[in-house]
Amino acid sequence: MSNWGSSSALKHFQMGETIFSEGDPGDWAYIIESGRVEVAVSDNGQPRTLRILTSGDVLGEMAVMDTAPRSASAKALEETVCVAISSQQISDRVQDADPVVKLLVNTLLHRIRNTSQVASLSHLKIPIGRQEPSSEEDDKGLDKMRLESELRAALDNQQLRPHYQPLVNIQTCQILGFEALIRWFSPTRGHVSPGEFTSIAEETSLIIPIGQQTIEQACRDLVQLQAVCPNSSLFMSINVAPRQLSETDFLNDLQAVTNQYALEPSQIKLEVTERVFMEDPDALATLKECRQAGFYVALDDFGTGFSSLNYLTRFEVDGFKIDRAFVQEILTNQRTQVLLTSMLAMARGLGMQTVVEGIESQEQLEALQQSGCDIGQGYLFGKPLPFDAVKQLLNQELVHNSSKP
């Protein structure tokens, strides 16, 4: 019997086990990781083999893409392991595709469905595996789908956990708050790069439950961190994608969480990139409502986009984070120093708070202290840490401060 736990991206089928039958709904497609699968159709009540698939092949994708009943059956010829690709994963990508691409895909599927292959099956040699070597692009596409399936399983299994990086007063180096940064340790891949899995999450609807889980956990942890420092009001910075802000209930859900943990809206700082200004008017409207409700909004990666200054004239934000690229050259490039100083002066003139990320040395810190930055972030003050380590860091700071004369 197959192992069909919803929390696992890998599905195991025993020899002779049916993966799907002709006429079944197209709920899943599969990438074969190991083993062999026979694909067959019914011809006058008798099964006729269409193809034998092996490792690296994809099956069941047609019914998932066009939502028609399965036109063939699939059976494991030996013990077989597959990565399951849900219909939602594929439909999300199809819906986001260019209308011309969707038209061409639907036309191709219709033509394939209506070809009379079965009539001449007895004269065909049964193909085994791929008919031509896979390209590097194909392999990348398959691995991307694998990673997405594993990410869905990781969400179900609570494998995605926020780590917290300190944000400090640039003059005193006292911890003012933290940025919540999602980390994923995969049982099969090990540590997965955040850039790798967050891009996939943002391409699909996965960013919505991941974002909800992150906000919930970050607020819960902030309450406990605040208890360590009862005399100061800590804040939590949380990255928010345009797709999250497009959800009609985003603000209501955010307020429900902050109310549940008795947090002030000003303790939650929403970080967005300039993509929010370009992709969806609904997302921008939600962001404005968040500011009106008292939540802090900051523009992330400032200085790296094409139109950051233009956006500041059209939409009010409470602050911005200057990208680490400027910090890396602050000691060696005079032009960078001038640009950074100008950005900080502009922020002061607009009444905005500034965060500079990527501070790694004492020399960089001293240069930024002279430039008038408000908040610093970087390995000099601490790497992104799990909750228990952050709590310990706060306790150490309290002990250090209490020992001062």
Side-chain angles (χ1 to χ4, degrees), residues 230-243:
N231 296 325
S232 60
S233 180
L234 298 175
F235 65 82
M236 184 68 71
S237 288
I238 302 173
N239 294 283
V240 181
R243 192 156 188 164

Side-chain angles (χ1 to χ4, degrees), residues 337-353:
Q337 295 172 12
V338 172
L339 286 171
L340 182 60
T341 301
S342 299
M343 285 189 283
L344 294 171
M346 177 187 66
R348 286 194 297 272
L350 294 172
M352 293 181 179
Q353 189 179 67

Side-chain angles (χ1 to χ4, degrees), residues 210-240:
I210 290 175
Q212 290 171 337
Q213 188 180 92
T214 301
I215 290 172
E216 167 78 22
Q217 185 66 51
C219 288
R220 184 187 305 123
D221 289 344
L222 179 58
V223 171
Q224 297 186 57
L225 295 174
Q226 185 67 73
V228 178
C229 304
N231 296 325
S232 60
S233 180
L234 298 175
F235 65 82
M236 184 68 71
S237 288
I238 302 173
N239 294 283
V240 181

